[in-house]
């Protein structure tokens, strides 16, 4: 149990969002630092509505159990933590004045948010004197304006603002919207200048799988083991990363929780961490998801228990993706360490990560994450990557769709599945009049979508066509074995 001294620490953080990602990552780091006497501050959480778990937080005095489950460096990790970082949860709808009162707290220094990607967007009609403003940026402007007024524009009372929404340049974008809203609302020019000079918006990147609440059976087992009930209990994997971008030493010191966990990385450029995550974690998922599902695997864990598929994932990351992204800023040691972590995460025996859920918006993910990888591989090697091409062939096979009621659906080996992809109607049209090599060429040469003619990559069409034909015949596992064997024999 947390000691009473932890429950009396001053409030230093205003957090927009009660979700498990925030509780399992930023709040995890803050709680860990508090327990080591480093950060010494608690979190006031702003909830956009009065519904949901408001009463639960109050009933439990903001305490909740965080169960860390997974594998790390070959060892099974099972750790249970009672997190005491949250002091209060306030409803923006019903307790807006109490939230604004936090602006008058001289010890308040940091704002954290996770309001989904849509949350960082401009609503030109948002009024910052509303109670509350409708948008997250509007609420932030209102809070900052109150703080500016209370402290009479004191430069030392600006905030460090670290959004965690999964968009590139999240801090930069939020800053632009805040300044535009302040201008639209005709706020004091001195306030706008104070935002620019005394408040620091940091781009950040978060990475941790937090599936959420424990299954009911596990909750019951936990209750019997520890003899208490917790309606906020949830699980995360062991791996954690919060990369925060700043060049300012004073800002780094305000984020002092970084000193107690290597998972917090404060750096002057987070692009390296974004590239590692986007290509080795997300890119591998995208190359593998259709292939795994068509091979008969429902979850990532299940696929990783198969020796051939596990080899496919490992070789894809280490022999094709990793060398493609190595550069002056990303070293072989970086890709090796990150890939090893990803393999541990994919094998996590406690997480049921569905491949079908990873296929949502398959086409846009393939375009954003993997086409750049494919081009980098060709640039460095000038030859066909066997495992990437198999992933692309599986993507084309998975997208063999037709209209099924309100949905687009595909089928293979008697298995029917719903395809959630904005490009599905294009595939349905192409599949209605093309087959085999002609179909593959139509997909690869779709310049309007890919913005490059993939049909011109030497040998790529032939490799994808061969693998595609094997997959639609139902020989998915044979195609896997052949691709893994071919990559193994390249000697790279």
């Amino acid at each position: 149990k947390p000691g009473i001294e932890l429950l009396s620490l001053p409030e230093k953080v205003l957090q927009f969002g009660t979700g498990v990602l925030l509780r399992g990552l930023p709040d995890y780091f803050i709680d860990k630092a508090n327990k080591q006497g480093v950060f010494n501050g608690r979190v006031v959480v702003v909830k956009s509505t009065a519904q949901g778990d408001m009463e639960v937080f109050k009933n439990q005095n903001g305490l909740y159990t965080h169960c860390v489950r997974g594998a790390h460096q070959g060892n099974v990790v099972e750790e249970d933590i009672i997190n005491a970082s949250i002091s209060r949860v306030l409803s923006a709808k019903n307790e807006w004045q109490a939230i604004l009162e936090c602006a008058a707290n001289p010890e308040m220094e940091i704002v954290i948010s996770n309001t989904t990607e849509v949350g960082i967007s401009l609503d030109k009609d948002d009024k910052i004197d509303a109670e509350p403003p409708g948008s997250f940026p509007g609420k932030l402007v209102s809070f900052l304006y109150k703080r500016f007024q209370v402290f009479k524009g004191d430069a030392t009372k600006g905030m460090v603002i670290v959004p965690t929404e999964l968009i590139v340049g999240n801090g930069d974008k939020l800053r632009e919207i805040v300044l535009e809203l302040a201008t639209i609302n005709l706020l004091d020019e001195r306030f706008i200048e104070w935002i620019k000079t005394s408040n620091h918006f940091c781009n950040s990147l978060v990475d941790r799988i937090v599936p959420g609440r424990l299954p009911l059976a596990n909750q019951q087992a936990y209750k019997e083991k520890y003899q208490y009930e917790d309606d906020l209990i949830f699980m995360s994997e062991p791996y954690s990363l919060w990369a925060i971008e700043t060049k300012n030493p004073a800002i780094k010191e305000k984020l002092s929780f970084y000193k107690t966990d290597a998972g917090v990385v404060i750096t002057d450029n987070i692009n390296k961490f974004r590239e590692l995550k986007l290509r080795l974690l997300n890119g591998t998922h995208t190359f593998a998801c259709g292939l795994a599902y068509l091979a008969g695997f429902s979850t990532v864990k299940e696929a990783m228990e198969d020796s051939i598929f596990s080899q496919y994932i490992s070789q894809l990351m280490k022999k094709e993706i990793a060398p493609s992204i190595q550069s002056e800023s990303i070293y072989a040691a970086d890709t090796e360490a990150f890939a090893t972590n990803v393999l541990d995460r994919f094998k996590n025996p406690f997480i049921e990560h569905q491949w079908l859920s990873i296929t949502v918006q398959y086409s846009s993910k393939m375009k954003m994450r993997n086409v750049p990888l494919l081009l980098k591989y060709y640039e460095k090697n000038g030859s066909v990557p066997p495992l990437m091409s198999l992933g692309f062939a599986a993507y084309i096979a998975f997208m063999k769709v037709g209209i099924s009621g309100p949905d687009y659906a595909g089928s293979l080996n008697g298995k029917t599945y719903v395809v959630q992809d904005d490009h599905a109607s294009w595939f349905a049209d192409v599949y209605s009049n093309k087959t085999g090599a002609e179909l593959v060429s139509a997909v690869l040469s779709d310049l309007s979508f890919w913005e490059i003619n993939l049909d011109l990559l030497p040998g790529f069409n032939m490799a994808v066509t061969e693998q595609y034909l094997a997959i639609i015949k139902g020989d998915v596992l044979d195609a896997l074995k052949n691709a893994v064997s071919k990559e193994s024999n390249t000697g790279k």
Side-chain angles (χ1 to χ4, degrees):
K1 295 179 182 178
I4 192 67
E5 70 281 357
L6 291 176
L7 306 181
S8 57
L9 290 172
E11 294 174 340
K12 294 172 68 173
V13 181
L14 186 71
Q15 175 176 297
F16 288 85
T18 62
V20 291
L21 177 65
L22 288 174
R23 286 191 277 137
L25 198 65
D27 298 343
Y28 164 82
F29 293 129
I30 290 170
D31 180 66
K32 184 174 181 179
N34 286 343
K35 287 170 179 172
Q36 295 183 32
V38 174
F39 181 68
N40 297 321
R42 300 186 82 201
V43 181
V44 179
V45 177
V46 178
K47 187 170 175 59
S48 59
T49 66
Q51 287 74 43
D53 45 19
M54 286 287 299
E55 288 303 313
V56 178
F57 277 103
K58 290 179 181 177
N59 293 341
Q60 298 187 181
N61 296 315
L63 302 174
Y64 60 87
T65 309
H66 177 179
C67 304
V68 182
R69 299 286 187 274
H72 179 64
Q73 296 179 348
N75 299 314
V76 174
V77 177
E78 295 187 63
E79 182 183 9
D80 301 316
I81 303 158
I82 298 179
N83 189 302
S85 64
I86 294 177
S87 62
R88 294 182 288 164
V89 177
L90 300 175
S91 164
K93 181 178 180 181
N94 298 330
E95 299 174 290
W96 183 241
Q97 287 305 312
I99 293 166
L100 289 183
E101 287 170 9
C102 294
N105 174 3
E107 296 193 78
M108 191 67 71
E109 294 183 329
I110 300 168
V111 173
I112 301 171
S113 69
N114 193 292
T115 56
T116 76
E117 292 75 11
V118 179
I120 300 185
S121 57
L122 175 65
D123 177 2
K124 292 185 178 181
D125 297 323
D126 207 4
K127 303 300 181 186
I128 71 102
D129 57 356
E131 295 191 15
S135 69
F136 158 56
K139 292 180 178 71
L140 180 57
V141 172
S142 182
F143 174 86
L144 292 175
Y145 192 51
K146 180 70 172 181
R147 190 166 181 85
F148 171 81
Q149 292 173 316
V150 168
F151 294 106
K152 302 182 180 357
D154 185 342
T156 67
K157 292 299 185 285
M159 303 291 291
V160 178
I161 299 157
V162 191
T164 67
E165 287 81 356
L166 295 175
I167 57 175
V168 176
N170 44 23
D172 293 337
K173 184 172 183 181
L174 180 58
R175 183 178 187 272
E176 290 173 8
I177 294 171
V178 162
L179 288 169
E180 189 167 352
L181 268 180
T183 302
I184 290 171
N185 281 266
L186 303 176
L187 298 180
D188 192 327
E189 285 292 336
R190 293 172 300 169
F191 169 63
I192 294 175
E193 187 62 24
W194 180 77
I195 293 176
K196 293 178 180 178
T197 59
S198 302
N199 292 267
H200 305 272
F201 293 76
C202 302
N203 295 323
S204 87
L205 174 74
V206 292
D207 187 9
R208 190 174 215 178
I209 298 172
V210 189
R213 292 180 65 85
L214 289 178
L216 287 175
N218 297 70
Q219 290 183 45
Q220 184 60 33
Y222 193 98
K223 176 184 173 183
E224 292 173 0
K225 180 178 180 180
Y226 290 109
Q227 296 298 302
Y228 71 85
E229 294 185 20
D230 183 354
D231 290 326
L232 295 170
I233 191 170
F234 69 91
M235 179 181 73
S236 82
E237 65 172 340
Y239 179 85
S240 61
L241 172 68
W242 190 13
I244 303 172
E245 191 172 84
T246 182
K247 297 178 181 179
N248 190 323
I251 301 309
K252 186 173 181 179
E253 191 54 38
K254 287 187 178 183
L255 303 171
S256 61
F257 46 77
Y258 82 90
K259 298 176 183 178
T260 61
D261 196 298
V264 185
V265 179
I266 301 182
T267 176
D268 59 2
N269 191 330
I270 64 171
N271 288 337
K272 165 182 170 179
F273 299 95
R274 179 179 293 111
E275 185 73 357
L276 287 167
K277 177 180 183 290
L278 181 64
R279 309 305 178 191
L280 284 168
L281 175 67
N282 304 131
T284 299
H285 264 158
T286 302
F287 272 128
C289 59
L291 181 65
Y293 187 79
L294 295 178
F297 302 114
S298 297
T299 66
V300 176
K301 178 185 71 173
E302 183 184 353
M304 294 303 290
E305 289 170 351
D306 179 86
S307 61
I308 296 298
F309 201 89
S310 180
Q311 284 183 64
Y312 171 79
I313 292 289
S314 179
Q315 290 186 10
L316 173 65
M317 279 197 289
K318 294 187 174 185
K319 300 186 75 172
E320 292 189 3
I321 297 178
S324 300
I325 64 173
Q326 286 164 13
S327 64
E328 292 181 357
S329 59
I330 300 178
Y331 306 116
D334 296 324
T335 57
E336 177 64 26
F338 198 90
T340 299
N341 273 324
V342 170
L343 288 171
D344 275 345
R345 299 168 73 185
F346 282 9
K347 294 174 183 175
N348 192 328
F350 301 95
I351 294 179
E352 299 288 335
H353 201 172
Q354 301 290 323
W355 284 116
L356 202 56
S357 68
I358 299 173
T359 66
V360 173
Q361 299 303 342
Y362 203 167
S363 297
S364 62
K365 290 176 180 176
M366 187 66 80
K367 176 183 177 179
M368 181 184 74
R369 299 170 178 176
N370 291 355
V371 167
L373 277 174
L374 182 62
L375 299 179
K376 287 180 180 179
Y377 184 95
Y378 265 94
E379 185 181 332
K380 291 193 174 188
N381 300 283
S383 59
V384 178
L387 306 181
M388 289 188 190
S389 61
L390 177 60
F392 214 99
Y395 156 70
I396 297 174
F398 183 89
M399 293 298 293
K400 185 178 180 181
V401 296
I403 297 175
S404 177
D407 303 312
Y408 287 97
S411 65
L412 186 72
N413 294 337
K415 179 187 291 187
T416 301
Y417 50 89
V418 173
V419 173
Q420 300 179 61
D421 189 307
D422 289 343
H423 209 46
S425 60
W426 183 90
F427 268 94
D429 181 60
V430 172
Y431 266 107
S432 67
N433 54 61
K434 288 182 172 61
T435 59
E438 187 183 14
L439 168 73
V440 172
S441 287
V443 175
L444 298 183
S445 62
D446 183 12
L447 193 62
S448 63
F449 183 73
W450 303 116
E451 299 176 20
I452 186 171
N453 188 346
L454 300 176
D455 212 15
L456 299 179
L457 296 174
F460 192 59
N461 183 312
M462 184 180 298
V464 172
T465 300
E466 180 184 343
Q467 292 165 325
Y468 166 76
L469 292 174
I471 290 170
I472 61 172
K473 287 178 184 175
D475 300 331
V476 186
L477 293 177
D478 284 341
L480 257 170
K481 291 175 185 176
N482 290 337
V484 168
S485 175
K486 190 174 292 186
E487 182 55 83
S488 297
N489 292 330
T490 61
K492 294 190 191 109

